[in-house]
Amino acid sequence: MSHRTRIVLCIGLVFAPLVAGLTACVGGASSLTATPYDATGHLSFGHADGPGATAADPDQPLTITLTDTGGRITDVTARDSEGRPLTGELTADGRGWRSSEPLAARASYTVRVSTENGNGEPGRGVYEFRTGTSDSAERLEISFGPEPGTYGVGQPLTAELSHPVSALTERARVESALTVRSDPEVTGAWHWVDDQTLHYRPREYWPAHATVTVSSALDGVHIRDGLRGAAAEPLEVSFGDRIEAVADISALTMTVSRNGEELRTVPITTGKEGFRTRNGKKVILGRESYVRMTGTSIGIPAGSAESYDLPVYWATRLTWSGEYVHGAPWSAASHGVANVSHGCTGLSTENARWFFELVKPGDIVEHVNGYGEDMDPFGNGFGDWNLSWEEWQEGSALHAMAERRDEQRQEAASGPLRPGV
């Protein structure tokens, strides 16, 4: 509720000169220009008042009471040092205010109160206090990923929570405390993969050579009864050149580019019938100069016709289930000719080594024009980029809350139809 200045209009004296005897009119209008009086000493701040204000109980609501008779509180704004507002409601008589959500623990608050005394004169009061700990609550720990370093432009950021968070309002509380700063700036959003995992990505790939910092202001924040946020270590990562590989399953070629410039097109082989390579965008998970690949690792029975046990070199991992780009000299005659692998993308040893040395985790490999199933967005690596931006935003709790508010405003604006209108 904003401060309202009362204006007294003296109808019979509108055109008359003002004289000393017109005190009733002049006094009523003085609030237009009057300097607000200091109302701090006329306010009680409940458990946050007095000597104990240095450790006010965050599990108790903040209550503000006007001690003067005849006056009222007209407005209250309260924010912590992180800039988060503390919402609340005025009492019906205007003489009190009570917070409607829990305070953050171990936080500093600044409260600004507007008042009006019995004569209509405005007052202002500013009060600061700190909250103590909430020993009864568990802590919601949060860990950011990936590890500090330089990545390809497709690498999403991750946040892992120590406790499940499923309610929309609780998720919004967590999400609003997470900050991602990018240089240069990007438009991005968090997406809840499950109750304990969030991913963050921009609308498009990260800009080449960008630097990104992710941090949390969750420490002490009330998530739900018995659970408050804990402090988290911030994370800074950087991004390298924009490396993209497009593997055309039908054409049996893979074209690799850097910052939009084509570097090389090489012949490939991909998954055959029954072992089709997944379509879609995949983020490189890691590189292994040597790996032993066996059919049993992907569910092929040992000793069967499809069974294999091979030493593989220059292997670049795309999925946790075992899709790689790697050297495949045993199928050299099929490169560029036929798809004969068990799901991996096979190259000559020379091309596989060149690709291995060029790329890094976070770079993009996209398979197109294939015959297999689509890459999952989550659960088998980073398939985040297979969701459109609109689909990605649907996984944001803040986006969902904003949509809910828009719907409520539209319903309120339309209102019930009245007869004859």
Side-chain angles (χ1 to χ4, degrees), residues 372-397:
E373 62 186 29
D374 292 334
M375 174 68 177
D376 290 332
F378 310 108
N380 194 16
F382 294 122
D384 306 49
W385 301 100
N386 295 292
L387 294 178
S388 69
W389 178 241
E390 291 72 22
E391 291 172 324
W392 184 264
Q393 288 181 296
E394 291 301 318
S396 163

Side-chain angles (χ1 to χ4, degrees), residues 60-97:
Q60 297 296 319
L62 174 64
T63 58
I64 304 173
T65 305
L66 183 64
T67 57
D68 282 354
T69 60
R72 64 191 182 96
I73 297 173
T74 59
D75 188 43
V76 175
T77 60
R79 292 183 180 275
D80 67 11
S81 56
E82 297 290 338
R84 294 178 297 233
L86 179 68
T87 59
E89 296 180 350
L90 287 169
T91 58
D93 60 7
R95 297 188 53 78
W97 182 92

Side-chain angles (χ1 to χ4, degrees), residues 47 52 55-61 103 130-134:
H47 75 286
D57 186 352
D59 293 324
Q60 297 296 319
L103 287 77
R130 286 189 56 82
T131 57
T133 59
S134 178

Side-chain angles (χ1 to χ4, degrees), residues 140-145 157-163 174 178 190 192-199 218 232 382:
L140 181 68
E141 306 282 347
I142 184 167
S143 300
F144 295 120
L157 304 177
T158 63
E160 297 290 339
L161 309 180
S162 61
H163 292 71
V174 170
L178 307 182
W190 290 100
W192 287 80
V193 177
D194 55 41
D195 287 351
Q196 291 183 247
T197 308
L198 297 87
H199 286 187
L218 206 59
F382 294 122

Side-chain angles (χ1 to χ4, degrees), residues 12 55 130 215 350:
R130 286 189 56 82
S215 59
E350 177 189 354

Side-chain angles (χ1 to χ4, degrees), residues 50 126 358:
V126 179
L358 175 71

